[in-house]
Amino acid sequence: MKVKTGIDLVDITEFSKSMQNGGENFLHRVFLPSEITSLDPEHLAGLFAAKEAITKALSLGPGKWLEIEITHEESGRPIAKIGVPTKSQDLSISHTKTHAVAVFVAIL
Amino acid sequence: MYETIPEFLASVANRYPTKYALYIRRFLRTTRFTYREVEQISLKIASYLLENGLKPQDKVLIWAPNMPEWVLALFGCLSAGIVVVPVGLHSTEEVVGKYIEQTRPKVLFLSKFYPIDFKKPEHKNIKIINLEDLVGLVENVSIKKMPNLSKNELGEIVFTSGTTGEPKGVMISHHNILFEIEQLLKTVPHFKHYRLLSVLPLSHVMEQVVGLMTPIARGGTIYYLPRINTVTIKKALRKYQITDLGAVPQMLRMFLDSIEYQVTEQGKSGSFNFALKLAAVLPITLRRQLFSKIHEDLGGKLYVFGVGSAPLDVKLAETWEAMGIKVVEGYGASETTGGVTANRIDDRIIGSAGKKIPGMELKLSSENEIQVKSDSVTRGYFENEEKTREAFTADGYFKTGDVGYLKDGYLYITGREKFKIVTAAGDKIYPEDIERKLNSHPDVWDSCVMGIKKDDGEIVHAEIILKPKAATKVEDIVKKINLELEPNQQIMDFSLWTDKDFPRLHTLKVDRNEVRSMSENTSQTKNKVTNTTISSEDTLKNILSKVCKIPGSSITDNSNLVTDLKLDSLKRVELVSLIEEEMGVELIEEDIDNETTLKNIKQQVSSHKKISYPYDLDSITKKLREPFSSYLRILLQDLFVFPILRFFVKVEVKGDIDFSRLKLPIILIGNHPNPPSDIGLLLSILPLRIRLKLAAPANDWPYRTQKYLINAILSNLLGGTFPINTHGKPVGKSLDAILDFIEDGYSLYIMPEGDVTPIGEKLGPLKPGLAQLFANTDVQFVPFYISGDVYGSFYRQKDEHHTYYFPHGFSKIIFTFGKPFTLLDKDENESMVTIKEKILELAPSL
């Protein structure tokens, strides 16, 4: 049994600028249509942090954004759907006014 | 004439109530406002601000890129008598801090994509409103009675200086603006359709007056872009069929460079140059024919460049004129609320700034300084009586600080007084004169000339930016130009500027002070040039510079993207996205790792073929829109397709739907059990009024695989379909095309499964792209379900490929239509659920 952890912190200002500069190409490279429930940079920065945390935990390598889908339970709790099988996993996302942070833990 | 801006706004709203005034497409979402909506929302914004403690003459800052909401905020504030302080997007917090200290604003309007985290605690207390949320914020606000405003009511404070010295806030009244608009309208002919692309910053009063309010006075539509670069501008010119573009000379140069580059790549330089010479003797209509490919690339409707803000190179203007686009140059200043002089569309002299606009009194001082008196001239600088006194003559003329001369009524600008160079011999030299000569050299992209101290005076120093693939060394350029200059104008000292551009003020003029400062701080020795042959991979370097926020001059081929340029995962995505947009090359992020240098990226870019789609979507959708295409389709449908289908299939229509009463456009949405006969039968039910403007996205598999292409062609011809990528990464272009059709009043029929309905299932999984486009919009969906003996007459396709097949029996199919619905107030997830539910409600039990 292996425990894998990943964490990522995103500066929302920097994320906003990258999103604005990168335009639709940026959006569609990183997010699945089901994830774009809002174009609010805060919301998307949180998803980005989540995907980056998952990438780090599972050593997926760069550019695998669309292989990760972040959805939410009715309670609002985020869930990650990934191609890599895990015995158990958990994801948490949080925001301040200036930053979004995500932590992902998986048991392989 | 109107007394105040709200009066003007009410008047145009009455004249053009349902015409679209403002438009932007952001992330596959269109935001647009009719004239009536602009007026109403502006009043709601005004009411909201007044309700929340603001009073007339309170100040607000708008610090955001161009967008319709910028305009709404401006009109809203002006309606309430609140004073707007527009701020250039790329202003630093230091500079904005000075504006805040001077004007003490109560509210700051920002863009959520350019958030600011103020460092000074006192700035943190200013209320921030994101422009993108503004319309939603005031949606339910009731419009209050507006305060009475006088015509001399202060409307805006526009700052004109950069970081050096105290910035001066030019006071602009409602009357200044309205007077200027009224005079400009006398110089602008009436066109039936005015479609203007606004790329110059609204923080500049010239753009507000020339690029916003004057076109609005004529019922024009103004288009804004979320990202401005040559790629997005060109796309917009084509998409929106732009007729006028306000630009700075730099933009004209960039477009021309791009054309010349393509011409060179195609080996057509000789014929291009010959065509330019030939064009000189041709009327404009023939010139446009001669350069038809260029015009097609620019949308085909662009007739005029309106140019100002910086000296315009005569050769540059002449080249555009030769290609059939009129270049109309004007001159003005913030203090004059825009134009003082302007060339007219049918009365212009290249190289001049045109004749004075009606209502202007113009004179030249003994030192040839241009001085202006008019109702459009500011009454002075905000809380700065000293600067105000200094800015006016005793008889009330505003001293522009620019030097020029008049000839036959046309004004010619020589230069700016404060930038002049005074040599040891006492000669006064204007840098602009020398820059004009330098910029006329074919290998020079831009230049900035300044005086540097030597002995008892100054000598002429030039910073020069070369074009990519410049063949001439900079020292040889200087030698050549010196031969053309006066003895006292000789360039004695020069440097090669290795960044793509000079630093600019928010007015887009070169920030000469900053150039000087950077020039003095550079480690390069004057006259010593590190590399004259700037590589054509400048675009790549510039993208990297932009993404990593590091000056281009610091980036070399051996720069490691991660360790030297600090490229992290976020910036990596931004980088590949920008490379894709600006260079048309799709890089894979996995190929950029901790070892990657600029050189590696260059190799990757040059080895990747440009993204080439297996089909030209623009061309396909353009042909679909042609009336002939529509009539032909209907003829073929009515004469052949429908009779054949209906011979074999009896159709029953259920559901309470009256197509004749439906407000169009609509999106028909349902299952897809047996293509293409199910589609053909669906179309046979629809009335002509819908079929005349009807299109459909269809799986682009035939184009991608080049198999069964005939199916795709027939589908396009008979069904009005256009290709869409339904697998893997959604293609923005196809989704964009769907939006475009709806906005143009076309109804669509869409099979949201993106594929054939699996046998034995009522409905397969839905592709989510539709929800992304139409969630929270009022576009009408009409659901339907196809049931009955769907395979009874025509073979069901046996595998994923389309095949030809022939009827084998008679059958009856039932089309059940549901009540129309919208996805208003539903987010993407809810939209998907709703669409599925509405279709399945109509399905019979299996």
Side-chain angles (χ1 to χ4, degrees), chain B residues 6 9-14 33-45 72 75 79 143:
Chain B
L9 198 55
S11 169
V12 293
N14 285 337
F33 302 96
T34 61
Y35 277 80
R36 181 63 70 201
E37 285 168 335
V38 170
E39 186 214 9
Q40 292 296 299
I41 296 171
S42 300
L43 290 173
K44 286 188 176 194
I45 293 169
L72 295 172
F75 284 144
S79 299
I143 296 174

Coordinates of all heavy atoms in Angstrom, one line a residue, chain B residues 6 9-14 33-45 72 75 79 143:
Chain B
P6 N -26.3 61.8 -20.6 CA -27.6 61.0 -20.5 C -28.6 61.4 -21.6 O -29.3 60.6 -22.1 CB -28.1 61.2 -19.1 CG -27.1 62.1 -18.4 CD -25.9 62.3 -19.3
L9 N -27.6 59.9 -24.8 CA -27.8 58.4 -24.7 C -29.3 58.1 -24.9 O -29.6 57.2 -25.7 CB -27.3 57.9 -23.4 CG -27.1 56.4 -23.2 CD1 -26.1 56.0 -24.3 CD2 -26.5 56.1 -21.8
A10 N -30.1 58.9 -24.3 CA -31.6 58.7 -24.4 C -32.0 58.9 -25.9 O -32.8 58.1 -26.4 CB -32.4 59.6 -23.5
S11 N -31.4 59.9 -26.5 CA -31.8 60.2 -27.9 C -31.4 59.0 -28.8 O -32.2 58.6 -29.7 CB -31.1 61.5 -28.3 OG -31.2 61.6 -29.7
V12 N -30.1 58.5 -28.7 CA -29.7 57.4 -29.6 C -30.5 56.2 -29.3 O -30.8 55.4 -30.2 CB -28.2 57.2 -29.6 CG1 -27.5 58.4 -30.2 CG2 -27.7 56.8 -28.2
A13 N -30.9 56.0 -28.0 CA -31.7 54.8 -27.7 C -33.0 54.9 -28.4 O -33.6 53.8 -28.8 CB -31.8 54.7 -26.2
N14 N -33.6 56.1 -28.4 CA -34.9 56.2 -29.1 C -34.8 56.0 -30.6 O -35.7 55.5 -31.2 CB -35.5 57.6 -28.8 CG -36.0 57.7 -27.4 OD1 -36.3 56.7 -26.8 ND2 -36.0 58.9 -26.9
F33 N -25.4 44.2 -26.3 CA -26.4 45.1 -25.7 C -27.0 46.0 -26.9 O -26.2 46.6 -27.6 CB -25.8 46.0 -24.6 CG -25.2 45.3 -23.5 CD1 -23.9 45.0 -23.5 CD2 -26.0 44.7 -22.5 CE1 -23.3 44.3 -22.4 CE2 -25.4 44.0 -21.4 CZ -24.1 43.8 -21.4
T34 N -28.3 46.0 -26.9 CA -28.9 47.0 -27.8 C -28.8 48.4 -27.3 O -28.5 48.6 -26.1 CB -30.4 46.7 -28.0 OG1 -31.0 46.8 -26.7 CG2 -30.6 45.2 -28.5
Y35 N -29.1 49.4 -28.1 CA -29.1 50.7 -27.7 C -30.0 51.0 -26.5 O -29.7 51.7 -25.5 CB -29.4 51.7 -28.8 CG -28.3 52.0 -29.7 CD1 -27.8 51.1 -30.7 CD2 -27.5 53.1 -29.5 CE1 -26.7 51.3 -31.5 CE2 -26.4 53.4 -30.3 CZ -26.0 52.5 -31.3 OH -24.9 52.7 -32.1
R36 N -31.2 50.4 -26.5 CA -32.1 50.6 -25.4 C -31.6 49.9 -24.2 O -31.7 50.5 -23.1 CB -33.5 49.9 -25.8 CG -34.5 50.1 -24.7 CD -34.9 51.5 -24.4 NE -35.6 52.1 -25.5 CZ -35.7 53.4 -25.8 NH1 -35.1 54.3 -25.0 NH2 -36.5 53.9 -26.8
E37 N -30.9 48.8 -24.3 CA -30.4 48.1 -23.2 C -29.2 48.9 -22.6 O -29.1 49.0 -21.4 CB -29.9 46.7 -23.5 CG -31.0 45.7 -23.7 CD -30.5 44.4 -24.3 OE1 -29.5 44.4 -25.1 OE2 -31.2 43.4 -24.2
V38 N -28.4 49.5 -23.4 CA -27.3 50.4 -23.0 C -27.9 51.5 -22.1 O -27.4 51.8 -21.0 CB -26.5 50.9 -24.1 CG1 -25.5 52.0 -23.7 CG2 -25.7 49.8 -24.8
E39 N -28.9 52.1 -22.6 CA -29.5 53.2 -21.9 C -30.1 52.8 -20.5 O -29.8 53.4 -19.5 CB -30.6 53.9 -22.7 CG -31.2 55.1 -22.1 CD -32.7 55.3 -22.4 OE1 -33.3 54.3 -22.9 OE2 -33.2 56.4 -22.1
Q40 N -30.8 51.7 -20.6 CA -31.5 51.2 -19.3 C -30.5 50.8 -18.3 O -30.6 51.1 -17.1 CB -32.5 50.1 -19.7 CG -33.7 50.6 -20.5 CD -34.5 51.6 -19.7 OE1 -35.1 51.3 -18.7 NE2 -34.6 52.8 -20.2
I41 N -29.5 50.0 -18.7 CA -28.5 49.4 -17.8 C -27.7 50.6 -17.2 O -27.3 50.6 -16.0 CB -27.7 48.4 -18.5 CG1 -28.5 47.2 -18.9 CG2 -26.5 47.9 -17.5 CD1 -27.8 46.1 -19.7
S42 N -27.4 51.5 -18.1 CA -26.6 52.7 -17.6 C -27.4 53.4 -16.5 O -26.8 53.8 -15.4 CB -26.3 53.7 -18.7 OG -25.6 53.1 -19.7
L43 N -28.7 53.5 -16.6 CA -29.5 54.2 -15.6 C -29.5 53.3 -14.3 O -29.6 53.9 -13.2 CB -30.9 54.5 -16.2 CG -30.9 55.6 -17.2 CD1 -32.3 55.7 -17.9 CD2 -30.5 56.9 -16.7
K44 N -29.6 52.0 -14.5 CA -29.6 51.2 -13.4 C -28.2 51.3 -12.6 O -28.2 51.3 -11.4 CB -29.8 49.7 -13.8 CG -31.2 49.4 -14.2 CD -31.4 47.9 -14.5 CE -32.9 47.7 -14.8 NZ -33.2 46.3 -14.7
I45 N -27.2 51.3 -13.3 CA -25.8 51.5 -12.7 C -25.8 52.8 -11.9 O -25.4 52.9 -10.8 CB -24.7 51.4 -13.8 CG1 -24.6 50.0 -14.4 CG2 -23.4 51.8 -13.1 CD1 -23.7 49.9 -15.6
L72 N -20.7 50.7 -20.3 CA -21.9 50.9 -19.4 C -21.6 51.6 -18.1 O -22.3 52.4 -17.6 CB -22.5 49.5 -19.1 CG -23.0 48.7 -20.3 CD1 -23.4 47.3 -19.9 CD2 -24.2 49.4 -20.9
F75 N -21.1 55.3 -18.9 CA -22.4 56.0 -19.1 C -23.2 56.0 -17.8 O -23.9 57.0 -17.5 CB -23.2 55.3 -20.2 CG -22.8 55.6 -21.6 CD1 -22.8 54.6 -22.6 CD2 -22.3 56.9 -22.0 CE1 -22.4 54.9 -23.9 CE2 -21.9 57.1 -23.2 CZ -21.9 56.1 -24.2
S79 N -24.3 59.5 -16.1 CA -25.8 59.7 -15.9 C -26.0 60.2 -14.5 O -27.0 61.0 -14.3 CB -26.6 58.4 -16.2 OG -26.4 58.0 -17.5
I143 N -34.8 51.9 -11.5 CA -34.2 53.2 -11.9 C -34.8 54.4 -11.1 O -36.0 54.6 -11.1 CB -34.4 53.4 -13.4 CG1 -33.7 52.2 -14.2 CG2 -33.9 54.7 -13.9 CD1 -34.0 52.2 -15.7

